[in-house]
Amino acid sequence: MKRIKAIYPGSFDPPTNGHLDLIERGSKIFDELVVAILRNPEKNPLFSLADRRKMLEAMTAGFDNVSVDTFDGLTVDYALRVEARAILRGIRAISDYEYELQMALMNRKLQPGLETVFMMPAEKYSYLSSRLVREVAQLGGSIECLVPEIVGQKLREKIDVAHKFEKSAESKGKAASKTKSKSKSGNKKAK
Ligand code: PNS
């Protein structure tokens, strides 16, 4: 019998519990599943490709038939290269459907032999997205139960570094404006 290999492509910036839920479901129906992170130089991701890969590798370490890879260019070309027969995508709500359908049909046009398989994550993740996780974390909200521990930790590290950077830029700015106003008042006296 033919073994069925699938790819699960995405940005994963960062990976969430919703992604993990889908990976688990996919690993049960496909013989092999490759989580494929898009290397997209146009987007300005919060996490580097290496960070996203590390997080996904840690998250999927317990699944024997799941691996993590990166790709650029067309998803269908990558799928062909790794000899996958299906593309796995998650649909959380009707709002995802239109975009996903468009992509699936375009991918079918490009590569008719490749099937897109849609799966639904658990209802408790139906509102969850990487964008919202980034926003909530950056604004100091709790992301507990939304992302795996390793992702939570990396997000906290990123945000701490960003805060430190902001604070040091702020204090440098204050020091610079103090020096400016001192030299201005010095100039006035000299006049
Ligand atoms: O996690 P995302 O951002 O929703 O994933 C979107 C992704 C990576 C699956 C999609 O943008 C994609 O397939 N990009 C690769 C380029 C490509 O094949 N474009 C044509 C899609 S029809």
PDB file of all heavy atoms in Angstrom, residues 43-82:
ATOM      1  N   LYS A  43       7.665  39.430   4.340  1.00  0.00           N
ATOM      2  CA  LYS A  43       7.004  39.633   5.630  1.00  0.00           C
ATOM      3  C   LYS A  43       8.067  39.985   6.651  1.00  0.00           C
ATOM      4  O   LYS A  43       9.231  39.620   6.518  1.00  0.00           O
ATOM      5  CB  LYS A  43       6.306  38.341   6.060  1.00  0.00           C
ATOM      6  CG  LYS A  43       4.898  38.214   5.507  1.00  0.00           C
ATOM      7  CD  LYS A  43       4.149  37.150   6.286  1.00  0.00           C
ATOM      8  CE  LYS A  43       2.732  36.992   5.798  1.00  0.00           C
ATOM      9  NZ  LYS A  43       2.050  35.884   6.492  1.00  0.00           N
ATOM     10  N   ASN A  44       7.656  40.708   7.684  1.00  0.00           N
ATOM     11  CA  ASN A  44       8.612  41.057   8.721  1.00  0.00           C
ATOM     12  C   ASN A  44       8.213  40.294   9.980  1.00  0.00           C
ATOM     13  O   ASN A  44       7.512  40.823  10.829  1.00  0.00           O
ATOM     14  CB  ASN A  44       8.561  42.582   8.919  1.00  0.00           C
ATOM     15  CG  ASN A  44       9.668  43.045   9.832  1.00  0.00           C
ATOM     16  OD1 ASN A  44      10.607  42.298  10.107  1.00  0.00           O
ATOM     17  ND2 ASN A  44       9.545  44.259  10.340  1.00  0.00           N
ATOM     18  N   PRO A  45       8.663  39.035  10.091  1.00  0.00           N
ATOM     19  CA  PRO A  45       8.145  38.204  11.178  1.00  0.00           C
ATOM     20  C   PRO A  45       8.693  38.611  12.542  1.00  0.00           C
ATOM     21  O   PRO A  45       9.762  39.214  12.636  1.00  0.00           O
ATOM     22  CB  PRO A  45       8.632  36.804  10.803  1.00  0.00           C
ATOM     23  CG  PRO A  45       9.841  37.031   9.973  1.00  0.00           C
ATOM     24  CD  PRO A  45       9.671  38.357   9.289  1.00  0.00           C
ATOM     25  N   LEU A  46       7.945  38.282  13.591  1.00  0.00           N
ATOM     26  CA  LEU A  46       8.429  38.538  14.949  1.00  0.00           C
ATOM     27  C   LEU A  46       9.567  37.569  15.257  1.00  0.00           C
ATOM     28  O   LEU A  46      10.584  37.943  15.828  1.00  0.00           O
ATOM     29  CB  LEU A  46       7.270  38.343  15.954  1.00  0.00           C
ATOM     30  CG  LEU A  46       7.609  38.551  17.418  1.00  0.00           C
ATOM     31  CD1 LEU A  46       8.041  39.983  17.692  1.00  0.00           C
ATOM     32  CD2 LEU A  46       6.417  38.194  18.300  1.00  0.00           C
ATOM     33  N   PHE A  47       9.399  36.319  14.858  1.00  0.00           N
ATOM     34  CA  PHE A  47      10.417  35.301  15.135  1.00  0.00           C
ATOM     35  C   PHE A  47      11.189  34.948  13.873  1.00  0.00           C
ATOM     36  O   PHE A  47      10.593  34.823  12.792  1.00  0.00           O
ATOM     37  CB  PHE A  47       9.761  34.029  15.681  1.00  0.00           C
ATOM     38  CG  PHE A  47       9.288  34.186  17.087  1.00  0.00           C
ATOM     39  CD1 PHE A  47       7.948  34.410  17.357  1.00  0.00           C
ATOM     40  CD2 PHE A  47      10.180  34.134  18.145  1.00  0.00           C
ATOM     41  CE1 PHE A  47       7.511  34.574  18.658  1.00  0.00           C
ATOM     42  CE2 PHE A  47       9.752  34.292  19.447  1.00  0.00           C
ATOM     43  CZ  PHE A  47       8.417  34.518  19.706  1.00  0.00           C
ATOM     44  N   SER A  48      12.504  34.762  14.061  1.00  0.00           N
ATOM     45  CA  SER A  48      13.329  34.346  12.922  1.00  0.00           C
ATOM     46  C   SER A  48      12.905  32.940  12.505  1.00  0.00           C
ATOM     47  O   SER A  48      12.267  32.212  13.286  1.00  0.00           O
ATOM     48  CB  SER A  48      14.804  34.332  13.328  1.00  0.00           C
ATOM     49  OG  SER A  48      15.018  33.285  14.253  1.00  0.00           O
ATOM     50  N   LEU A  49      13.316  32.581  11.322  1.00  0.00           N
ATOM     51  CA  LEU A  49      13.000  31.246  10.811  1.00  0.00           C
ATOM     52  C   LEU A  49      13.603  30.181  11.743  1.00  0.00           C
ATOM     53  O   LEU A  49      12.955  29.173  12.060  1.00  0.00           O
ATOM     54  CB  LEU A  49      13.621  31.140   9.410  1.00  0.00           C
ATOM     55  CG  LEU A  49      13.056  30.106   8.483  1.00  0.00           C
ATOM     56  CD1 LEU A  49      11.598  30.397   8.188  1.00  0.00           C
ATOM     57  CD2 LEU A  49      13.855  30.075   7.203  1.00  0.00           C
ATOM     58  N   ALA A  50      14.833  30.439  12.200  1.00  0.00           N
ATOM     59  CA  ALA A  50      15.515  29.473  13.077  1.00  0.00           C
ATOM     60  C   ALA A  50      14.738  29.293  14.385  1.00  0.00           C
ATOM     61  O   ALA A  50      14.572  28.171  14.874  1.00  0.00           O
ATOM     62  CB  ALA A  50      16.930  29.957  13.354  1.00  0.00           C
ATOM     63  N   ASP A  51      14.230  30.396  14.933  1.00  0.00           N
ATOM     64  CA  ASP A  51      13.448  30.316  16.180  1.00  0.00           C
ATOM     65  C   ASP A  51      12.167  29.519  15.970  1.00  0.00           C
ATOM     66  O   ASP A  51      11.796  28.684  16.785  1.00  0.00           O
ATOM     67  CB  ASP A  51      13.054  31.730  16.656  1.00  0.00           C
ATOM     68  CG  ASP A  51      14.133  32.340  17.524  1.00  0.00           C
ATOM     69  OD1 ASP A  51      15.037  31.597  17.953  1.00  0.00           O
ATOM     70  OD2 ASP A  51      14.078  33.569  17.762  1.00  0.00           O
ATOM     71  N   ARG A  52      11.487  29.814  14.857  1.00  0.00           N
ATOM     72  CA  ARG A  52      10.217  29.117  14.584  1.00  0.00           C
ATOM     73  C   ARG A  52      10.469  27.633  14.386  1.00  0.00           C
ATOM     74  O   ARG A  52       9.718  26.790  14.845  1.00  0.00           O
ATOM     75  CB  ARG A  52       9.532  29.733  13.354  1.00  0.00           C
ATOM     76  CG  ARG A  52       8.835  31.045  13.710  1.00  0.00           C
ATOM     77  CD  ARG A  52       8.196  31.662  12.507  1.00  0.00           C
ATOM     78  NE  ARG A  52       9.166  32.404  11.716  1.00  0.00           N
ATOM     79  CZ  ARG A  52       9.001  32.739  10.441  1.00  0.00           C
ATOM     80  NH1 ARG A  52       7.926  32.377   9.806  1.00  0.00           N
ATOM     81  NH2 ARG A  52       9.918  33.427   9.801  1.00  0.00           N
ATOM     82  N   ARG A  53      11.564  27.327  13.727  1.00  0.00           N
ATOM     83  CA  ARG A  53      11.898  25.915  13.494  1.00  0.00           C
ATOM     84  C   ARG A  53      12.168  25.212  14.829  1.00  0.00           C
ATOM     85  O   ARG A  53      11.656  24.124  15.075  1.00  0.00           O
ATOM     86  CB  ARG A  53      13.133  25.856  12.581  1.00  0.00           C
ATOM     87  CG  ARG A  53      13.422  24.472  12.160  1.00  0.00           C
ATOM     88  CD  ARG A  53      14.629  24.355  11.265  1.00  0.00           C
ATOM     89  NE  ARG A  53      14.601  23.010  10.739  1.00  0.00           N
ATOM     90  CZ  ARG A  53      14.907  22.677   9.507  1.00  0.00           C
ATOM     91  NH1 ARG A  53      15.280  23.568   8.667  1.00  0.00           N
ATOM     92  NH2 ARG A  53      14.851  21.426   9.120  1.00  0.00           N
ATOM     93  N   LYS A  54      12.958  25.888  15.686  1.00  0.00           N
ATOM     94  CA  LYS A  54      13.285  25.301  17.000  1.00  0.00           C
ATOM     95  C   LYS A  54      12.021  25.045  17.803  1.00  0.00           C
ATOM     96  O   LYS A  54      11.844  23.996  18.407  1.00  0.00           O
ATOM     97  CB  LYS A  54      14.173  26.284  17.789  1.00  0.00           C
ATOM     98  CG  LYS A  54      15.628  25.852  17.844  1.00  0.00           C
ATOM     99  CD  LYS A  54      16.379  26.735  18.807  1.00  0.00           C
ATOM    100  CE  LYS A  54      17.635  27.259  18.125  1.00  0.00           C
ATOM    101  NZ  LYS A  54      18.150  28.496  18.671  1.00  0.00           N
ATOM    102  N   MET A  55      11.119  26.034  17.823  1.00  0.00           N
ATOM    103  CA  MET A  55       9.885  25.891  18.601  1.00  0.00           C
ATOM    104  C   MET A  55       9.061  24.726  18.065  1.00  0.00           C
ATOM    105  O   MET A  55       8.578  23.888  18.835  1.00  0.00           O
ATOM    106  CB  MET A  55       9.058  27.194  18.547  1.00  0.00           C
ATOM    107  CG  MET A  55       9.695  28.332  19.309  1.00  0.00           C
ATOM    108  SD  MET A  55       8.624  29.780  19.412  1.00  0.00           S
ATOM    109  CE  MET A  55       8.962  30.632  17.902  1.00  0.00           C
ATOM    110  N   LEU A  56       8.924  24.662  16.737  1.00  0.00           N
ATOM    111  CA  LEU A  56       8.097  23.591  16.147  1.00  0.00           C
ATOM    112  C   LEU A  56       8.743  22.226  16.346  1.00  0.00           C
ATOM    113  O   LEU A  56       8.050  21.229  16.575  1.00  0.00           O
ATOM    114  CB  LEU A  56       7.858  23.862  14.658  1.00  0.00           C
ATOM    115  CG  LEU A  56       6.735  24.875  14.406  1.00  0.00           C
ATOM    116  CD1 LEU A  56       6.811  25.445  13.002  1.00  0.00           C
ATOM    117  CD2 LEU A  56       5.356  24.232  14.614  1.00  0.00           C
ATOM    118  N   GLU A  57      10.072  22.179  16.301  1.00  0.00           N
ATOM    119  CA  GLU A  57      10.744  20.892  16.523  1.00  0.00           C
ATOM    120  C   GLU A  57      10.500  20.414  17.945  1.00  0.00           C
ATOM    121  O   GLU A  57      10.230  19.235  18.173  1.00  0.00           O
ATOM    122  CB  GLU A  57      12.242  21.016  16.219  1.00  0.00           C
ATOM    123  CG  GLU A  57      12.504  20.902  14.735  1.00  0.00           C
ATOM    124  CD  GLU A  57      13.934  21.189  14.314  1.00  0.00           C
ATOM    125  OE1 GLU A  57      14.735  21.678  15.159  1.00  0.00           O
ATOM    126  OE2 GLU A  57      14.245  20.972  13.138  1.00  0.00           O
ATOM    127  N   ALA A  58      10.575  21.367  18.890  1.00  0.00           N
ATOM    128  CA  ALA A  58      10.340  20.981  20.294  1.00  0.00           C
ATOM    129  C   ALA A  58       8.886  20.538  20.479  1.00  0.00           C
ATOM    130  O   ALA A  58       8.607  19.541  21.158  1.00  0.00           O
ATOM    131  CB  ALA A  58      10.672  22.159  21.213  1.00  0.00           C
ATOM    132  N   MET A  59       7.966  21.274  19.860  1.00  0.00           N
ATOM    133  CA  MET A  59       6.536  20.954  20.013  1.00  0.00           C
ATOM    134  C   MET A  59       6.163  19.603  19.415  1.00  0.00           C
ATOM    135  O   MET A  59       5.208  18.961  19.852  1.00  0.00           O
ATOM    136  CB  MET A  59       5.682  22.011  19.284  1.00  0.00           C
ATOM    137  CG  MET A  59       5.625  23.351  19.967  1.00  0.00           C
ATOM    138  SD  MET A  59       5.056  24.645  18.810  1.00  0.00           S
ATOM    139  CE  MET A  59       3.458  24.069  18.293  1.00  0.00           C
ATOM    140  N   THR A  60       6.893  19.194  18.357  1.00  0.00           N
ATOM    141  CA  THR A  60       6.490  17.972  17.636  1.00  0.00           C
ATOM    142  C   THR A  60       7.409  16.786  17.944  1.00  0.00           C
ATOM    143  O   THR A  60       7.287  15.733  17.299  1.00  0.00           O
ATOM    144  CB  THR A  60       6.481  18.221  16.105  1.00  0.00           C
ATOM    145  OG1 THR A  60       7.786  18.673  15.697  1.00  0.00           O
ATOM    146  CG2 THR A  60       5.461  19.266  15.709  1.00  0.00           C
ATOM    147  N   ALA A  61       8.297  16.977  18.914  1.00  0.00           N
ATOM    148  CA  ALA A  61       9.277  15.927  19.226  1.00  0.00           C
ATOM    149  C   ALA A  61       8.601  14.600  19.587  1.00  0.00           C
ATOM    150  O   ALA A  61       9.162  13.535  19.357  1.00  0.00           O
ATOM    151  CB  ALA A  61      10.189  16.394  20.349  1.00  0.00           C
ATOM    152  N   GLY A  62       7.409  14.660  20.122  1.00  0.00           N
ATOM    153  CA  GLY A  62       6.715  13.443  20.547  1.00  0.00           C
ATOM    154  C   GLY A  62       6.007  12.689  19.419  1.00  0.00           C
ATOM    155  O   GLY A  62       5.457  11.612  19.654  1.00  0.00           O
ATOM    156  N   PHE A  63       6.003  13.239  18.215  1.00  0.00           N
ATOM    157  CA  PHE A  63       5.326  12.554  17.099  1.00  0.00           C
ATOM    158  C   PHE A  63       6.375  11.915  16.181  1.00  0.00           C
ATOM    159  O   PHE A  63       7.166  12.637  15.560  1.00  0.00           O
ATOM    160  CB  PHE A  63       4.489  13.550  16.266  1.00  0.00           C
ATOM    161  CG  PHE A  63       3.446  14.291  17.045  1.00  0.00           C
ATOM    162  CD1 PHE A  63       3.643  15.616  17.423  1.00  0.00           C
ATOM    163  CD2 PHE A  63       2.251  13.671  17.393  1.00  0.00           C
ATOM    164  CE1 PHE A  63       2.683  16.311  18.134  1.00  0.00           C
ATOM    165  CE2 PHE A  63       1.285  14.368  18.107  1.00  0.00           C
ATOM    166  CZ  PHE A  63       1.494  15.689  18.488  1.00  0.00           C
ATOM    167  N   ASP A  64       6.319  10.594  16.079  1.00  0.00           N
ATOM    168  CA  ASP A  64       7.329   9.868  15.278  1.00  0.00           C
ATOM    169  C   ASP A  64       7.259  10.192  13.796  1.00  0.00           C
ATOM    170  O   ASP A  64       8.272  10.134  13.100  1.00  0.00           O
ATOM    171  CB  ASP A  64       7.104   8.347  15.410  1.00  0.00           C
ATOM    172  CG  ASP A  64       7.488   7.875  16.795  1.00  0.00           C
ATOM    173  OD1 ASP A  64       8.188   8.642  17.495  1.00  0.00           O
ATOM    174  OD2 ASP A  64       7.078   6.761  17.177  1.00  0.00           O
ATOM    175  N   ASN A  65       6.053  10.492  13.294  1.00  0.00           N
ATOM    176  CA  ASN A  65       5.902  10.667  11.839  1.00  0.00           C
ATOM    177  C   ASN A  65       5.809  12.148  11.429  1.00  0.00           C
ATOM    178  O   ASN A  65       5.372  12.461  10.342  1.00  0.00           O
ATOM    179  CB  ASN A  65       4.665   9.898  11.335  1.00  0.00           C
ATOM    180  CG  ASN A  65       3.380  10.380  11.990  1.00  0.00           C
ATOM    181  OD1 ASN A  65       3.427  11.069  13.004  1.00  0.00           O
ATOM    182  ND2 ASN A  65       2.246  10.054  11.405  1.00  0.00           N
ATOM    183  N   VAL A  66       6.213  13.042  12.342  1.00  0.00           N
ATOM    184  CA  VAL A  66       6.156  14.479  12.008  1.00  0.00           C
ATOM    185  C   VAL A  66       7.578  15.054  11.968  1.00  0.00           C
ATOM    186  O   VAL A  66       8.385  14.795  12.863  1.00  0.00           O
ATOM    187  CB  VAL A  66       5.307  15.259  13.049  1.00  0.00           C
ATOM    188  CG1 VAL A  66       5.310  16.755  12.751  1.00  0.00           C
ATOM    189  CG2 VAL A  66       3.873  14.728  13.078  1.00  0.00           C
ATOM    190  N   SER A  67       7.872  15.812  10.908  1.00  0.00           N
ATOM    191  CA  SER A  67       9.165  16.504  10.844  1.00  0.00           C
ATOM    192  C   SER A  67       8.916  17.974  10.510  1.00  0.00           C
ATOM    193  O   SER A  67       7.796  18.354  10.149  1.00  0.00           O
ATOM    194  CB  SER A  67      10.068  15.858   9.788  1.00  0.00           C
ATOM    195  OG  SER A  67       9.419  15.900   8.548  1.00  0.00           O
ATOM    196  N   VAL A  68       9.966  18.775  10.664  1.00  0.00           N
ATOM    197  CA  VAL A  68       9.835  20.223  10.425  1.00  0.00           C
ATOM    198  C   VAL A  68      10.847  20.618   9.345  1.00  0.00           C
ATOM    199  O   VAL A  68      11.976  20.148   9.350  1.00  0.00           O
ATOM    200  CB  VAL A  68      10.100  21.017  11.723  1.00  0.00           C
ATOM    201  CG1 VAL A  68       9.963  22.515  11.476  1.00  0.00           C
ATOM    202  CG2 VAL A  68       9.164  20.565  12.842  1.00  0.00           C
ATOM    203  N   ASP A  69      10.414  21.478   8.432  1.00  0.00           N
ATOM    204  CA  ASP A  69      11.306  21.914   7.353  1.00  0.00           C
ATOM    205  C   ASP A  69      10.959  23.366   7.006  1.00  0.00           C
ATOM    206  O   ASP A  69       9.955  23.902   7.496  1.00  0.00           O
ATOM    207  CB  ASP A  69      11.079  21.009   6.128  1.00  0.00           C
ATOM    208  CG  ASP A  69      12.206  21.108   5.113  1.00  0.00           C
ATOM    209  OD1 ASP A  69      13.212  21.769   5.389  1.00  0.00           O
ATOM    210  OD2 ASP A  69      12.067  20.504   4.017  1.00  0.00           O
ATOM    211  N   THR A  70      11.782  23.995   6.188  1.00  0.00           N
ATOM    212  CA  THR A  70      11.478  25.356   5.722  1.00  0.00           C
ATOM    213  C   THR A  70      11.473  25.321   4.186  1.00  0.00           C
ATOM    214  O   THR A  70      12.091  24.446   3.584  1.00  0.00           O
ATOM    215  CB  THR A  70      12.539  26.372   6.193  1.00  0.00           C
ATOM    216  OG1 THR A  70      13.794  26.006   5.634  1.00  0.00           O
ATOM    217  CG2 THR A  70      12.646  26.412   7.701  1.00  0.00           C
ATOM    218  N   PHE A  71      10.758  26.274   3.607  1.00  0.00           N
ATOM    219  CA  PHE A  71      10.745  26.304   2.142  1.00  0.00           C
ATOM    220  C   PHE A  71      10.511  27.724   1.655  1.00  0.00           C
ATOM    221  O   PHE A  71      10.053  28.584   2.417  1.00  0.00           O
ATOM    222  CB  PHE A  71       9.650  25.369   1.579  1.00  0.00           C
ATOM    223  CG  PHE A  71       8.242  25.924   1.701  1.00  0.00           C
ATOM    224  CD1 PHE A  71       7.580  26.445   0.582  1.00  0.00           C
ATOM    225  CD2 PHE A  71       7.570  25.922   2.913  1.00  0.00           C
ATOM    226  CE1 PHE A  71       6.286  26.942   0.676  1.00  0.00           C
ATOM    227  CE2 PHE A  71       6.272  26.420   3.020  1.00  0.00           C
ATOM    228  CZ  PHE A  71       5.629  26.932   1.904  1.00  0.00           C
ATOM    229  N   ASP A  72      10.876  27.963   0.385  1.00  0.00           N
ATOM    230  CA  ASP A  72      10.440  29.214  -0.232  1.00  0.00           C
ATOM    231  C   ASP A  72       9.898  28.893  -1.622  1.00  0.00           C
ATOM    232  O   ASP A  72       9.955  27.755  -2.062  1.00  0.00           O
ATOM    233  CB  ASP A  72      11.546  30.291  -0.265  1.00  0.00           C
ATOM    234  CG  ASP A  72      12.824  29.771  -0.863  1.00  0.00           C
ATOM    235  OD1 ASP A  72      12.767  28.756  -1.554  1.00  0.00           O
ATOM    236  OD2 ASP A  72      13.875  30.389  -0.637  1.00  0.00           O
ATOM    237  N   GLY A  73       9.330  29.885  -2.259  1.00  0.00           N
ATOM    238  CA  GLY A  73       8.706  29.635  -3.554  1.00  0.00           C
ATOM    239  C   GLY A  73       7.307  29.073  -3.375  1.00  0.00           C
ATOM    240  O   GLY A  73       6.690  29.236  -2.315  1.00  0.00           O
ATOM    241  N   LEU A  74       6.832  28.419  -4.406  1.00  0.00           N
ATOM    242  CA  LEU A  74       5.458  27.905  -4.381  1.00  0.00           C
ATOM    243  C   LEU A  74       5.341  26.672  -3.481  1.00  0.00           C
ATOM    244  O   LEU A  74       6.187  25.776  -3.529  1.00  0.00           O
ATOM    245  CB  LEU A  74       5.011  27.534  -5.793  1.00  0.00           C
ATOM    246  CG  LEU A  74       4.686  28.678  -6.755  1.00  0.00           C
ATOM    247  CD1 LEU A  74       4.376  28.125  -8.148  1.00  0.00           C
ATOM    248  CD2 LEU A  74       3.497  29.495  -6.247  1.00  0.00           C
ATOM    249  N   THR A  75       4.245  26.633  -2.736  1.00  0.00           N
ATOM    250  CA  THR A  75       3.977  25.486  -1.874  1.00  0.00           C
ATOM    251  C   THR A  75       3.879  24.194  -2.704  1.00  0.00           C
ATOM    252  O   THR A  75       4.397  23.157  -2.306  1.00  0.00           O
ATOM    253  CB  THR A  75       2.660  25.725  -1.096  1.00  0.00           C
ATOM    254  OG1 THR A  75       2.894  26.823  -0.231  1.00  0.00           O
ATOM    255  CG2 THR A  75       2.262  24.527  -0.288  1.00  0.00           C
ATOM    256  N   VAL A  76       3.225  24.291  -3.877  1.00  0.00           N
ATOM    257  CA  VAL A  76       3.059  23.078  -4.693  1.00  0.00           C
ATOM    258  C   VAL A  76       4.409  22.537  -5.187  1.00  0.00           C
ATOM    259  O   VAL A  76       4.603  21.324  -5.262  1.00  0.00           O
ATOM    260  CB  VAL A  76       2.104  23.309  -5.899  1.00  0.00           C
ATOM    261  CG1 VAL A  76       0.690  23.534  -5.443  1.00  0.00           C
ATOM    262  CG2 VAL A  76       2.588  24.437  -6.785  1.00  0.00           C
ATOM    263  N   ASP A  77       5.336  23.458  -5.481  1.00  0.00           N
ATOM    264  CA  ASP A  77       6.671  23.009  -5.932  1.00  0.00           C
ATOM    265  C   ASP A  77       7.401  22.295  -4.806  1.00  0.00           C
ATOM    266  O   ASP A  77       8.062  21.278  -5.009  1.00  0.00           O
ATOM    267  CB  ASP A  77       7.510  24.205  -6.428  1.00  0.00           C
ATOM    268  CG  ASP A  77       6.993  24.736  -7.751  1.00  0.00           C
ATOM    269  OD1 ASP A  77       6.200  24.026  -8.405  1.00  0.00           O
ATOM    270  OD2 ASP A  77       7.365  25.872  -8.113  1.00  0.00           O
ATOM    271  N   TYR A  78       7.255  22.871  -3.597  1.00  0.00           N
ATOM    272  CA  TYR A  78       7.888  22.229  -2.435  1.00  0.00           C
ATOM    273  C   TYR A  78       7.279  20.842  -2.203  1.00  0.00           C
ATOM    274  O   TYR A  78       8.001  19.868  -1.988  1.00  0.00           O
ATOM    275  CB  TYR A  78       7.736  23.119  -1.194  1.00  0.00           C
ATOM    276  CG  TYR A  78       8.201  22.424   0.062  1.00  0.00           C
ATOM    277  CD1 TYR A  78       9.564  22.257   0.322  1.00  0.00           C
ATOM    278  CD2 TYR A  78       7.278  21.879   0.949  1.00  0.00           C
ATOM    279  CE1 TYR A  78       9.995  21.568   1.439  1.00  0.00           C
ATOM    280  CE2 TYR A  78       7.704  21.201   2.080  1.00  0.00           C
ATOM    281  CZ  TYR A  78       9.051  21.047   2.312  1.00  0.00           C
ATOM    282  OH  TYR A  78       9.475  20.352   3.417  1.00  0.00           O
ATOM    283  N   ALA A  79       5.942  20.776  -2.289  1.00  0.00           N
ATOM    284  CA  ALA A  79       5.256  19.497  -2.059  1.00  0.00           C
ATOM    285  C   ALA A  79       5.754  18.437  -3.050  1.00  0.00           C
ATOM    286  O   ALA A  79       6.016  17.289  -2.669  1.00  0.00           O
ATOM    287  CB  ALA A  79       3.749  19.685  -2.202  1.00  0.00           C
ATOM    288  N   LEU A  80       5.938  18.870  -4.281  1.00  0.00           N
ATOM    289  CA  LEU A  80       6.415  17.942  -5.312  1.00  0.00           C
ATOM    290  C   LEU A  80       7.832  17.460  -4.989  1.00  0.00           C
ATOM    291  O   LEU A  80       8.149  16.281  -5.114  1.00  0.00           O
ATOM    292  CB  LEU A  80       6.419  18.690  -6.663  1.00  0.00           C
ATOM    293  CG  LEU A  80       5.819  17.944  -7.837  1.00  0.00           C
ATOM    294  CD1 LEU A  80       4.361  17.589  -7.549  1.00  0.00           C
ATOM    295  CD2 LEU A  80       5.921  18.772  -9.104  1.00  0.00           C
ATOM    296  N   ARG A  81       8.666  18.441  -4.570  1.00  0.00           N
ATOM    297  CA  ARG A  81      10.071  18.125  -4.248  1.00  0.00           C
ATOM    298  C   ARG A  81      10.176  17.060  -3.168  1.00  0.00           C
ATOM    299  O   ARG A  81      11.013  16.196  -3.220  1.00  0.00           O
ATOM    300  CB  ARG A  81      10.758  19.413  -3.783  1.00  0.00           C
ATOM    301  CG  ARG A  81      11.837  19.842  -4.687  1.00  0.00           C
ATOM    302  CD  ARG A  81      12.732  20.976  -4.272  1.00  0.00           C
ATOM    303  NE  ARG A  81      12.432  21.815  -3.164  1.00  0.00           N
ATOM    304  CZ  ARG A  81      11.800  22.988  -3.234  1.00  0.00           C
ATOM    305  NH1 ARG A  81      11.350  23.414  -4.404  1.00  0.00           N
ATOM    306  NH2 ARG A  81      11.613  23.723  -2.167  1.00  0.00           N
ATOM    307  N   VAL A  82       9.306  17.173  -2.144  1.00  0.00           N
ATOM    308  CA  VAL A  82       9.412  16.212  -1.022  1.00  0.00           C
ATOM    309  C   VAL A  82       8.477  15.008  -1.224  1.00  0.00           C
ATOM    310  O   VAL A  82       8.306  14.198  -0.336  1.00  0.00           O
ATOM    311  CB  VAL A  82       9.166  16.892   0.346  1.00  0.00           C
ATOM    312  CG1 VAL A  82      10.205  17.955   0.633  1.00  0.00           C
ATOM    313  CG2 VAL A  82       7.752  17.473   0.445  1.00  0.00           C
TER     314      VAL A  82
END
